């Protein structure tokens, strides 16, 4: 947004690590896989694997929450949760580039027509200019409607990306893996 990433590399890396560890734990416990003989750096962890795994899950979960809150605070993204900002305030709009280009083109046409009106204002020419202005204004309004629609989808995706994929999903997977560790 506005040339900045929504989330820092630390947040993304922590979320991915938490998801990978949670998925591995879930697969091992869900399918009741035998991990005897499994060694970490040549050491058989035995019963300490559960305690160590839970410790890493808790550490990664806390780290994710801290990194995520820091990113949301530093980027001023609390508006994602409180209301919809105008799309012009949200980003430098690269997704809707074609609409922005069309709007700028139409405004340029309007400026040219106004300049021409000031130089030559015969009645027939005036009617033609008014019709052209009306046509261009209608096209601008249509483009703005499309921009608003695409802004809504962009806002929905941003919420899913920030809140869902990089907070709720990893924390949910970690909670499920922790549940399986205690009840398996």
């Amino acid at each position: 947004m506005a040339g900045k990433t929504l989330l820092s590399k630390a947040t993304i890396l922590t979320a991915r690590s938490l998801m990978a560890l949670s998925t591995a734990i879930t697969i091992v416990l869900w399918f009741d896989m035998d991990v005897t003989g499994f060694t970490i750096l040549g050491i058989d962890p035995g019963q300490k694997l559960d305690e160590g795994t839970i410790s890493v899950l808790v550490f990664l979960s806390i780290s994710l929450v801290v990194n995520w809150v820091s990113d949301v605070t530093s980027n001023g993204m609390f508006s994602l949760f409180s209301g919809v900002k105008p799309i012009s305030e949200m980003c430098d709009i690269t997704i809707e580039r074609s609409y922005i280009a069309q709007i700028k083109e139409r405004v340029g046409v309007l400026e040219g027509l106004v300049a021409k009106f000031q130089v030559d204002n015969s009645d027939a020419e005036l009617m033609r200019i008014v019709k052209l202005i009306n046509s261009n204004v209608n096209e601008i309004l249509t483009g703005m409607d499309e921009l608003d629609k695409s802004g809504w989808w962009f806002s929905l995706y941003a919420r899913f990306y920030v809140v869902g994929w990089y907070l709720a999903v990893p924390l949910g997977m970690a909670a499920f893996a922790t549940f399986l560790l205690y009840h398996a």
Side-chain angles (χ1 to χ4, degrees):
M1 295 179 66
K4 298 185 296 186
T5 58
L6 290 175
L7 297 170
S8 66
K9 288 181 181 180
T11 302
I12 292 170
L13 181 61
T14 305
R16 288 181 182 169
S17 298
L18 187 58
M19 289 172 58
L21 180 60
S22 300
T23 301
I25 292 168
T26 301
I27 289 171
V28 167
L29 295 176
W30 191 267
F31 295 109
D32 198 28
M33 298 174 81
D34 183 22
V35 290
T36 56
F38 175 74
T39 60
I40 299 174
L41 300 173
I43 301 169
D44 184 13
Q47 291 293 341
K48 296 193 181 222
L49 186 61
D50 288 349
E51 291 86 16
T53 304
I54 290 174
S55 299
V56 173
L57 279 173
V58 169
F59 172 76
L60 286 174
S61 296
I62 291 170
S63 179
L64 176 62
V65 170
V66 168
N67 287 334
W68 186 88
V69 169
S70 297
D71 290 346
V72 169
T73 303
S74 68
N75 288 333
M77 290 187 294
F78 282 113
S79 61
L80 285 174
F81 319 113
S82 62
V84 179
K85 290 169 67 173
I87 193 153
S88 60
E89 292 179 22
M90 287 173 54
C91 59
D92 288 336
I93 309 174
T94 55
I95 296 171
E96 294 82 16
R97 180 77 173 117
S98 62
Y99 296 122
I100 297 296
Q102 289 175 13
I103 290 169
K104 287 181 179 178
E105 180 183 328
R106 300 297 176 207
V107 169
V109 169
L110 288 174
E111 290 172 348
L113 292 174
V114 169
K116 185 169 173 67
F117 175 74
Q118 291 173 349
V119 173
D120 181 20
N121 62 8
S122 66
D123 290 332
E125 186 68 16
L126 179 63
M127 291 306 293
R128 189 181 73 75
I129 289 173
V130 168
K131 286 180 184 178
L132 282 171
I133 289 173
N134 188 33
S135 169
N136 281 288
V137 167
N138 287 335
E139 288 184 36
I140 288 171
L141 292 175
T142 302
M144 293 304 286
D145 288 342
E146 291 297 319
L147 184 60
D148 285 341
K149 290 177 189 173
S150 62
W152 181 81
W153 281 107
F154 177 78
S155 176
L156 182 66
Y157 173 75
R159 285 184 182 125
F160 169 74
Y161 178 84
V162 172
V163 179
W165 192 248
Y166 282 105
L167 183 69
V169 170
L171 290 177
M173 290 176 69
F176 184 67
T178 303
F179 172 80
L180 288 178
L181 279 168
Y182 278 116
H183 297 325

